[in-house]
Amino acid sequence: MTALSRRNFVKGAACAVAAVAGASLGFRSGGIDFYYPQEAFADENSPIERRYSYCDMCNHVPKCGIVASVREDKVIRVESRDKYPSTPLCAKGIASLQELYDPHRLLTPKIRTNAKGGPAEWKDITWDEAYSILAERLNRVKAQHGADSVLFFCGDPKEPRGAMQRLATLFGSSSYGTESSVCAAASWMCAQLVFGQNSMGENPSDASASCLIWSLNPAWSQPNRYGVLMKQKERGCKFVVVDPRVTPTVTGMADIHLQLRPGSDGALAAGFINQLIEQDLIDHNFVDNWTHGFEELKAYVAAYTPQKVEEITWVPADRLIAAAKLIGENKPGTLITSSKGGCHTTNVGHFQRAVFMIPALLGNLDVTGGLPLGPGLPFDYAASTKGFQLEDVYEAEGFQQRRYDREDFPVWARYYKMMQTVKLPEYVDEGKIRAGVLLGVNSMMWPNTPLYQKAIADLEFSVAIDYYLRPVTHDLVDMVLPAAMCYERSAALAIFGRKIFLREPVVTPRGEAREDWRIILEIGCALGYAEQCFNGDVDAALEELLRTTNLGITLADLRANPQGYDVPGPAAAQRKYETGGLRNDKQPGFNTPSGKVELVSTVLEDMNFVGLPVYEEPLHSPFTADAKDYPLVLNTGSRVPYYTHSKLRDLPWLNQFMPNPVVRISSKDASERGLVEGELARVYNAQGEVEMQVEITNMVLPGVVDIFHGWERADINLLTTRDFDPISGFPPFSNGLCQVASLQAR
Ligand SMILES: Nc1nc2c(c(=O)[nH]1)N[C@H]1C(S)=C(S)[C@@H](COP(=O)(O)OP(=O)(O)OC[C@H]3O[C@@H](n4cnc5c(=O)[nH]c(N)nc54)[C@H](O)[C@@H]3O)O[C@H]1N2
Ligand SMILES: Nc1nc2c(c(=O)[nH]1)N[C@H]1C(S)=C(S)[C@@H](COP(=O)(O)OP(=O)(O)OC[C@H]3O[C@@H](n4cnc5c(=O)[nH]c(N)nc54)[C@H](O)[C@@H]3O)O[C@H]1N2
Ligand code: SF4
Ligand SMILES: [Mo]
């Protein structure tokens, strides 16, 4: 796709859209005004209605609230929504309007007419034809090879996951997977292992004296959250930020910045704990009564003195000492971890546990102003329920025992009823997976992209569901189905604490596009599960989802409360581990096998892993032999404010900010290589090579380069390696090795 000129944009869109520049563009109460030219409307006096929606451009949950101004079934303006828990809209949210009316959107079901191997040629088909072909093909694969050989997959989109998992289970397939097998879930799992429930940490509240941010850059990745944190900073909450880069979050918020070498988190976390113990900052009462393995942990971290940690992590010893003191002396304090930053390393299954041990050792768990625990509403993070996902069927019918990923990643399989997808190439090669229903799939999301492209291409049959035709992945599938975008669809729910919002469509889908939920339910009907798929009726499915919460809520309740439905319930109590409020069996303690916070994991030990949170050096690092040829640490995927993963590159309002892929490099490394700002350079290692524009910056440490992922023309996952953390299965996107050289030097 080429960048759109305004003229093409206006001509190609079903209706015309506003100009970017000029008088029609201006900030207004947190939003931006966009007006269609008058000639776009049949009636020049047609009314404008304001309707509630929410944005899903970054697929975060929950999302930012939007008020859409709608005229003649067209969204003409988007603004931040007042009195909504998540605001304001970021640049991507505002540009959602441009994506909605992008003339390149996929608007009809298509089937491939040529053999795989080159660019796909497509023929438009009707929805009925599409369903009939895919049902026949999927049922054939099932009859020949069993239901598990069909993969049901959701990429970054979160909203359709409950429906997709239900469909997989109805079909009888244990092969349900999502992008979460390289995002966030490693962190949740570590929290499970330590204190028995998912967590990514929590924002500080007015009662918090400190906050340890272990690698998150919400200034760019969650702008709505950044403002919330800044308010706490202004109130006086102290912040320590652990991040290899000098981000706006660091400059805006950090009292102390621990700028570590990417991938060395495990050593830094051990050193942090060492200092909490050395400086006698731990909560002895909590540690004595509620933790398991303290003496072993203490003995292990004793070796991680600030001086040794400095050698490993490059963090100055005095800074580590000061950071532990700041967090340890300012209680209660909370912790925020990242779904990405530190997760993408082969040591994550150990180091993230060490990070979650910090609030435990300080007695900051489940206290006001600390890290709250305890059962929330019975939804998962994608706003679905166990009942709707048919988890009872999954368990009763032995899906778990049949899973292909169980041997590769037993700890992962224990915690998640979704496949760890990183071994997809192997499962396809071995004939285990032979077909796929792939919603929002992007082959560039995994390390060493070509192997995943081959895996997708080798499927006997695959159907992708997407907003766009993206050749890097869709050239490899047999059929594509057009998905409706957020303004065009209802969805699962947005849930904030005990407040639930329903989103309904504000305009009719363009072309033939249909809602993801509807498509999944209709595929289910075509496959023979019409009754369990509510004959394709999305409202009926959402009603069932609400019924399975046992909260007594109906769709009518949600519709009657457009400003959010408050689920009645008790105020959250503190220290529920003392009263039995955290465990399924209602006994005091934590939801772990020992009932304690596990500083040495009994679960891991039972599965023949080391129970202590041990530090292991990345397999490719400045301390390994290949650093001779590839001396720079390759840190990939740190979020930029304008793009989400592989998306949005073609929206002019966003593309203007970052038209080309860039490699961020320190001035020291650039001058050593004779690189000048803006030139095109080679970034390469033993596995692959890409070309990118040089950006010389103090943001990164000497010895490290920083590169965003998802560029089709410079896919950094050609260089990332398939060394998977044995506990979580996560790949080392954050810490490979590479070299950068001027193209002139070839
Ligand atoms: N090197 C490197 N690789 C990474 C990462 C990294 O940091 N570094 N990060 C990893 C992480 S954390 C993640 S989450 C993944 C993300 O990787 P992906 O899951 O691949 O994310 P996207 O590229 O945003 O989207 C995939 C596709 O979904 C489509 N899509 C988006 N929304 C919808 C929707 O609502 N419905 C439908 N039907 N389609 C939709 C998009 O058009 C796109 O084609 O990448 C991972 N890969
Ligand atoms: N604009 C935008 N927003 C997004 C997304 C997007 O693609 N674009 N994607 C969404 C998704 S799916 C995700 S997972 C989140 C991620 O959200 P964040 O976790 O905030 O994302 P990042 O910026 O990738 O990583 C946070 C910080 O981790 C640091 N980091 C990198 N390597 C390491 C390391 O080895 N150790 C430590 N301690 N820190 C490290 C980076 O320098 C970065 O500043 O963002 C979400 N929001
Ligand atoms: S952060 Fe931006 S892209 Fe993400 S939901 Fe909010 S407005 Fe949309
Ligand atoms: Mo992610």
Side-chain angles (χ1 to χ4, degrees):
M1 277 190 254
T2 50
L4 307 175
S5 70
R6 178 176 180 266
R7 199 152 164 269
N8 285 341
F9 196 18
V10 171
K11 210 168 62 181
C15 43
V17 82
V20 180
S24 62
L25 182 75
F27 280 96
R28 210 178 114 133
S29 65
I32 282 187
D33 283 351
F34 303 118
Y35 289 105
Y36 280 74
Q38 287 299 323
E39 66 268 21
F41 300 97
D43 171 3
E44 64 181 41
N45 297 315
S46 52
I48 296 174
E49 262 185 76
R50 287 161 62 79
R51 298 190 186 152
Y52 293 129
S53 185
Y54 39 75
C55 173
D56 70 350
M57 295 285 276
C58 65
N59 274 311
H60 249 302
V61 278
K63 306 115 198 285
C64 298
I66 286 184
V67 181
S69 296
V70 177
R71 184 173 173 199
E72 294 186 10
D73 203 23
K74 295 161 200 151
V75 182
I76 58 166
R77 189 171 105 189
V78 295
E79 286 168 82
S80 284
R81 178 171 170 177
D82 284 343
K83 300 199 190 91
Y84 191 81
S86 181
T87 55
L89 296 179
C90 75
K92 301 184 298 306
I94 290 158
S96 60
L97 203 49
Q98 212 166 33
E99 189 174 59
L100 176 66
Y101 293 112
D102 187 343
H104 294 101
R105 258 184 71 189
L106 174 67
L107 294 177
T108 47
K110 291 179 193 293
I111 189 146
R112 168 184 202 110
T113 56
N114 61 341
K116 287 180 196 166
E121 288 165 20
W122 299 103
K123 184 179 97 179
D124 287 355
I125 49 172
T126 65
W127 280 100
D128 284 347
E129 286 168 327
Y131 289 141
S132 129
I133 296 166
L134 72 83
E136 192 273 320
R137 297 297 302 271
L138 296 176
N139 276 331
R140 197 194 316 163
V141 173
K142 177 177 171 178
Q144 288 173 349
H145 305 286
D148 295 324
S149 63
V150 179
L151 171 66
F152 292 82
F153 178 84
C154 281
D156 203 27
K158 312 288 188 298
E159 291 174 14
R161 290 188 181 182
M164 188 65 105
Q165 191 163 12
R166 181 179 175 94
L167 174 61
T169 303
L170 286 170
F171 188 75
S173 174
S174 65
S175 303
Y176 161 72
T178 75
E179 134 286 4
S180 294
S181 61
V182 299
C183 169
S187 200
W188 308 332
M189 198 177 87
C190 288
Q192 287 272 6
L193 286 162
V194 175
F195 47 69
Q197 76 166 62
N198 278 0
S199 176
M200 294 280 296
E202 188 63 47
N203 289 348
S205 67
D206 288 349
S208 308
S210 67
C211 175
L212 172 59
I213 299 185
W214 203 288
S215 84
L216 187 88
N217 181 23
W220 289 353
S221 66
Q222 286 174 282
N224 48 39
R225 192 173 185 185
Y226 189 66
V228 175
L229 295 174
M230 275 313 275
K231 281 211 179 83
Q232 292 301 333
K233 167 85 185 164
E234 283 157 15
R235 184 186 55 78
C237 182
K238 303 287 181 211
F239 283 85
V240 169
V241 181
V242 179
D243 197 306
R245 303 183 307 161
V246 184
T247 64
T249 304
V250 166
T251 52
M253 218 123 61
D255 293 283
I256 299 178
H257 176 203
L258 301 180
Q259 192 175 13
L260 80 174
R261 170 172 63 90
S264 66
D265 297 76
L268 188 66
F272 203 103
I273 293 174
N274 167 306
Q275 278 308 297
L276 296 183
I277 296 171
E278 281 294 309
Q279 298 184 43
D280 197 20
L281 296 164
I282 61 171
D283 180 333
H284 291 282
N285 185 30
F286 183 88
V287 168
D288 292 348
N289 291 301
W290 298 107
T291 66
H292 165 80
F294 178 69
E295 290 305 323
E296 268 180 84
L297 178 69
K298 183 177 171 186
Y300 178 73
V301 300
Y304 286 87
T305 60
Q307 290 70 29
K308 176 169 172 190
V309 172
E310 177 170 338
E311 280 164 33
I312 301 174
T313 66
W314 308 348
V315 172
D318 55 348
R319 267 213 231 163
L320 171 59
I321 295 168
K325 184 170 156 67
L326 190 74
I327 295 296
E329 286 184 347
N330 286 283
K331 293 207 287 193
T334 187
L335 166 75
I336 293 177
T337 66
S338 156
S339 50
K340 131 86 198 141
C343 273
H344 291 153
T345 171
T346 47
N347 190 228
V348 56
H350 286 303
F351 105 74
Q352 271 299 355
R353 288 190 298 122
V355 172
F356 281 115
M357 289 172 198
I358 292 170
L361 293 167
L362 290 168
N364 279 335
L365 284 189
D366 212 22
V367 296
T368 307
L371 185 55
L373 298 180
L377 295 181
F379 294 100
D380 71 11
Y381 88 113
S384 193
T385 66
K386 290 184 175 185
F388 187 80
Q389 291 162 187
L390 304 174
E391 283 204 2
D392 51 342
V393 177
Y394 189 100
E395 267 156 35
E397 297 187 2
F399 281 47
Q400 184 71 3
Q401 286 67 36
R402 307 201 309 261
R403 285 173 60 166
Y404 298 139
D405 58 342
R406 232 176 125 220
E407 278 190 15
D408 293 316
F409 304 108
V411 189
W412 171 272
R414 175 188 163 115
Y415 285 103
Y416 298 119
K417 292 189 168 53
M418 62 182 168
M419 175 190 263
Q420 173 43 277
T421 59
V422 295
K423 290 265 175 111
L424 185 63
E426 285 77 3
Y427 302 152
V428 174
D429 260 4
E430 293 158 14
K432 291 174 174 164
I433 303 267
R434 291 167 178 270
V437 178
L438 312 171
L439 189 150
V441 66
N442 156 35
S443 56
M444 296 186 293
M445 76 166 237
W446 291 284
N448 202 348
T449 306
L451 293 182
Y452 296 85
Q453 288 178 308
K454 180 173 183 305
I456 296 170
D458 284 349
L459 295 174
E460 286 171 31
F461 177 78
S462 58
V463 49
I465 304 160
D466 210 300
Y467 300 151
Y468 286 87
L469 258 181
R470 303 193 196 271
V472 69
T473 307
H474 297 141
D475 271 356
L476 314 165
V477 304
D478 297 285
M479 183 188 282
V480 286
L481 302 176
M485 285 185 56
C486 65
Y487 300 106
E488 303 167 327
R489 66 187 188 204
S490 55
L493 318 159
I495 300 169
F496 299 87
R498 302 187 72 84
K499 210 178 198 33
I500 307 181
F501 293 81
L502 172 69
R503 184 181 72 206
E504 305 209 69
V506 299
V507 289
T508 315
R510 285 182 56 206
E512 296 284 310
R514 290 187 182 174
E515 300 166 75
D516 285 326
W517 270 69
R518 176 171 169 197
I519 297 171
I520 296 167
L521 296 174
E522 288 177 343
I523 291 177
C525 297
L527 288 168
Y529 312 100
E531 197 186 327
Q532 301 96 317
C533 290
F534 315 95
N535 295 305
D537 180 345
V538 175
D539 268 16
L542 290 178
E543 204 73 85
E544 169 66 6
L545 189 144
L546 288 171
R547 189 191 67 75
T548 55
T549 63
N550 294 321
L551 294 168
I553 312 168
T554 63
L555 269 187
D557 294 328
L558 299 185
R559 289 208 165 102
N561 290 279
Q563 298 293 2
Y565 177 89
D566 289 301
V567 182
Q574 288 199 70
R575 296 194 177 86
K576 292 182 285 296
Y577 50 86
E578 289 175 347
T579 55
L582 293 181
R583 284 181 63 89
N584 297 337
D585 62 11
K586 307 288 176 225
Q587 293 301 306
F590 293 84
N591 218 5
T592 55
S594 63
K596 303 277 176 74
V597 171
E598 298 205 344
L599 307 177
V600 175
S601 170
T602 58
V603 173
L604 291 183
E605 284 184 335
D606 283 352
M607 292 178 145
N608 296 321
F609 290 93
V610 178
L612 277 167
V614 291
Y615 175 61
E616 283 152 3
E617 190 59 27
L619 295 180
H620 304 280
S621 92
F623 300 107
T624 59
D626 45 352
K628 191 167 58 62
D629 296 324
Y630 309 108
L632 297 169
V633 177
L634 175 62
N635 190 218
T636 76
S638 297
R639 305 313 186 228
V640 297
Y642 340 103
Y643 297 134
T644 305
H645 310 298
S646 67
K647 301 192 303 177
L648 315 183
R649 300 297 194 286
D650 302 297
L651 303 186
W653 290 344
L654 298 174
N655 180 276
Q656 61 182 321
F657 299 116
M658 193 180 191
N660 297 306
V662 296
V663 46
R664 293 191 175 124
I665 189 165
S666 70
S667 53
K668 174 172 180 287
D669 290 320
S671 66
E672 280 172 16
R673 289 163 178 76
L675 296 167
V676 295
E677 178 76 13
E679 78 166 297
L680 207 54
R682 300 163 60 212
V683 181
Y684 62 97
N685 63 18
Q687 191 175 287
E689 172 170 335
V690 288
E691 288 179 11
M692 299 194 154
Q693 242 180 342
V694 171
E695 182 182 313
I696 300 172
T697 171
N698 293 330
M699 188 175 194
V700 298
L701 284 164
V704 180
V705 296
D706 173 64
I707 292 173
F708 189 56
H709 63 304
W711 289 95
E712 198 165 332
R713 61 190 150 113
D715 170 16
I716 200 57
N717 281 340
L718 295 176
L719 277 71
T720 56
T721 55
R722 298 182 76 231
D723 307 308
F724 302 120
D725 168 34
I727 297 178
S728 65
F730 272 47
F733 291 139
S734 283
N735 41 79
L737 287 178
C738 70
Q739 179 59 295
V740 182
S742 171
L743 279 178
Q744 283 23 304
R746 217 188 250 278

